[in-house]
C-alpha cells in the first residue's frame, strides 16, 4: 500500500515572542497571524492596543484551525482595539495557535503582540538551602526538585513570598500539574510550609510554584533530616529508650545465620509505634515483607522460616511514643 499524508500549515504572519506588529484593515475583513508556544511556556498572551477604529481578536488552537466568526477557541470583542486573550489552565498550552483580527469597523495603526515566558527548567534544591529569589506574574510556573535519600525524615517545603501571592503544588516521582499533585500550599505575602504525611519519602520530589498574582522576591526551601546509619541488633538483646512523634523512624539491621528459624521482632512501650521488616533492603511504609500495626507500641512480627542474611527493621511512630524496647531474636539450629 502507498499512503500520502500532510499537515496543514499555519497561515498569515508569524508572531514572535514580545515583538509587536502594527496593522490596519477595513470593516468586514480578516487579517491572519499565528504564534507557536513552546512546551513549558507560561504567561501565554495575545493582545491588541492603540490605533483607531475597532478590530476584534480571535484565537484557535492548532495550525489547521483558522478562526471564523462562529468557530474559535477564544475571542475578545470589547468595541475598541484593547483586546486580550490568554492561555490558562485547561487550555492546550503548547503548539501553534491561529490568531485573526476581524474588522468590526475600519481600523488603523493597531498594535498586535504575542508574548510568553519560556520554561526556565527545573532547579535542583539541596536540603536546607533556600533557592535564589525569583519573581513571577499571574499564571507563571516555576519548577523545583529535591532528591530525598532512603531513611530521611521530616521532609518539609517552605515557600516565602514577601510581595504578591503564589501557590505551591508538590508531588513525588513526577512533576505536578494544576490537576495532579499530592500536596498543596497557598499564601499571600507570607510563609507557607507544607509537610508531606502518610507517604514514602525516598525519591525525587517536585514542586511547582504558580503565581496566583504577580509576586517578587520569592524563595523556596526544601529540608529533610538526613538518615542515620542503622543500629545493629544482636540476637535476643533488647534496645531500649526508643521515642519520637508521628513519622519518627528508628532503623536497625540484624544478620540471620543459615539454619536459623523463628525470627521475631517485638516492641513494648507507651504510645503508638509500628514495626516494619524487610529482607535485603530498608523498609518503607509501602515496601516491606511484614508489618505489625496496632493502636499501641506493643507489636510483634514473626517469621518462622526467615531467609538467612541481613534483615532491616524500622520502628516508626504512628503517633507519639516513648520508652519503647525492641528485641530481635531467632532460634539457632541445634546440633
Amino acid at each position: 500500500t502507498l499512503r500520502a499524508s500532510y499537515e496543514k500549515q499555519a497561515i498569515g504572519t508569524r508572531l514572535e515572542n514580545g515583538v509587536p506588529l502594527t496593522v490596519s484593515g477595513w470593516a468586514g475583513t480578516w487579517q491572519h497571524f499565528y504564534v507557536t508556544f513552546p512546551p513549558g511556556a507560561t504567561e501565554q498572551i495575545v493582545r491588541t492596543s492603540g490605533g483607531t477604529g475597532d478590530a476584534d481578536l480571535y484565537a484557535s488552537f492548532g495550525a489547521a484551525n483558522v478562526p471564523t466568526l462562529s468557530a474559535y477557541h477564544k475571542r475578545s470583542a470589547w468595541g475598541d482595539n484593547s483586546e486580550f486573550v490568554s492561555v490558562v489552565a485547561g487550555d492546550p498550552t503548547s503548539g501553534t495557535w491561529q490568531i485573526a483580527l476581524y474588522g468590526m469597523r475600519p481600523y488603523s495603526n493597531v498594535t498586535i503582540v504575542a508574548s510568553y515566558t519560556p520554561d526556565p527548567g527545573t532547579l535542583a534544591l539541596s536540603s536546607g538551602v533556600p533557592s535564589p529569589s525569583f519573581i513571577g506574574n499571574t499564571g507563571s510556573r516555576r519548577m523545583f526538585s529535591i532528591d530525598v535519600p532512603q531513611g530521611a525524615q521530616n521532609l518539609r517545603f517552605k515557600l516565602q513570598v514577601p510581595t504578591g501571592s503564589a501557590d505551591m503544588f508538590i508531588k513525588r516521582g513526577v512533576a505536578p500539574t494544576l490537576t495532579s499533585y499530592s500536596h498543596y500550599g497557598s499564601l499571600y505575602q507570607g510563609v507557607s510550609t507544607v509537610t508531606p504525611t502518610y507517604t514514602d519519602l525516598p525519591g525525587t520530589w517536585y514542586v511547582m510554584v504558580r503565581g496566583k498574582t504577580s509576586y517578587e522576591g520569592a524563595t523556596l526551601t526544601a529540608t529533610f533530616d538526613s538518615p542515620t546509619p542503622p543500629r545493629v541488633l544482636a540476637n535476643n538483646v533488647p534496645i531500649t529508650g526508643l521515642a519520637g512523634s508521628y513519622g519518627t523512624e528508628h532503623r536497625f539491621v540484624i544478620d540471620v545465620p543459615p539454619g536459623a528459624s523463628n525470627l521475631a521482632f517485638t516492641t513494648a512501650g507507651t504510645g503508638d509505634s509500628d514495626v516494619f521488616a524487610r529482607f535485603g533492603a530498608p523498609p518503607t511504609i509501602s515496601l516491606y515483607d511484614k508489618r505489625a500495626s496496632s493502636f499501641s507500641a506493643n507489636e510483634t512480627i514473626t517469621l518462622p522460616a526467615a531467609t538467612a542474611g541481613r534483615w532491616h527493621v524500622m520502628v516508626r511512630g504512628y503517633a507519639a511514643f516513648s520508652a519503647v524496647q525492641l528485641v530481635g531474636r531467632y532460634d539457632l539450629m541445634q546440633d
Side-chain angles (χ1 to χ4, degrees):
T1 59
L2 175 64
R3 177 177 296 170
S5 63
Y6 67 92
E7 294 182 2
K8 190 171 182 178
Q9 298 298 305
I11 66 172
T13 303
R14 179 183 177 92
L15 297 175
E16 302 292 347
N17 185 22
V19 179
L21 297 177
T22 301
V23 294
S24 301
W26 296 104
T29 63
W30 291 92
Q31 291 201 59
H32 296 287
F33 310 86
Y34 68 94
V35 58
T36 300
F37 294 127
T42 61
E43 302 169 274
Q44 299 153 122
I45 296 167
V46 181
R47 70 172 75 237
T48 61
S49 61
T52 61
D54 182 8
D56 293 340
L57 182 62
Y58 292 76
S60 292
F61 180 72
N65 295 324
V66 178
T68 68
L69 294 177
S70 59
Y72 52 85
H73 288 122
K74 292 177 176 288
R75 175 193 178 205
S76 179
W78 292 102
D80 57 18
N81 294 321
S82 298
E83 310 294 1
F84 175 94
V85 297
S86 64
V87 178
V88 297
D91 294 331
T93 55
S94 63
T96 298
W97 284 74
Q98 278 282 178
I99 310 297
L101 284 181
Y102 179 76
M104 287 299 294
R105 291 183 287 129
Y107 59 94
S108 63
N109 298 318
V110 175
T111 298
I112 181 171
V113 61
S115 61
Y116 58 86
T117 299
D119 183 5
T122 300
L123 177 64
L125 301 174
S126 298
S127 178
V129 180
S131 71
S133 64
F134 56 96
I135 64 175
N137 294 323
T138 303
S140 63
R141 295 188 291 270
R142 298 290 297 267
M143 194 72 69
F144 303 83
S145 69
I146 187 167
D147 293 325
V148 180
Q150 189 78 43
Q153 300 184 54
N154 301 320
L155 175 64
R156 50 208 178 272
F157 299 94
K158 181 173 72 173
L159 176 64
Q160 296 181 278
V161 179
T163 303
S165 60
D167 296 328
M168 179 167 45
F169 300 82
I170 303 168
K171 194 168 186 178
R172 183 174 71 96
V174 296
T177 68
L178 299 181
T179 57
S180 177
Y181 55 90
S182 60
H183 299 80
Y184 169 81
S186 182
L187 66 93
Y188 176 74
Q189 292 185 356
V191 178
S192 175
T193 301
V194 175
T195 302
T197 57
Y198 303 102
T199 186
D200 285 329
L201 296 185
T204 301
W205 286 78
Y206 294 88
V207 182
M208 180 177 69
V209 177
R210 182 178 186 272
K212 183 180 293 184
T213 65
S214 296
Y215 64 89
E216 297 179 0
T219 60
L220 176 68
T221 307
T223 307
F224 56 79
D225 296 339
S226 297
T228 57
R231 299 166 67 180
V232 178
L233 284 170
N235 186 26
N236 209 26
V237 177
I239 290 180
T240 61
L242 304 181
S245 57
Y246 168 81
T248 299
E249 297 174 355
H250 297 275
R251 293 180 175 271
F252 308 87
V253 293
I254 187 170
D255 293 316
V256 178
S261 60
N262 298 321
L263 176 63
F265 302 104
T266 303
T267 59
T270 60
D272 188 358
S273 60
D274 300 331
V275 182
F276 301 77
R278 188 181 182 192
F279 179 75
T284 70
I285 60 175
S286 62
L287 291 173
Y288 52 84
D289 291 327
K290 204 159 186 182
R291 176 184 78 169
S293 176
S294 65
F295 293 103
S296 73
N298 304 312
E299 310 287 1
T300 299
I301 288 176
T302 57
L303 298 153
T307 304
R310 174 156 290 189
W311 282 81
H312 295 254
V313 183
M314 176 175 70
V315 177
R316 187 177 194 274
Y318 189 79
F321 63 101
S322 61
V324 171
Q325 171 182 284
L326 170 67
V327 177
R329 66 171 304 278
Y330 52 80
D331 294 335
L332 291 171
M333 183 174 56
Q334 301 295 320
D335 293 333

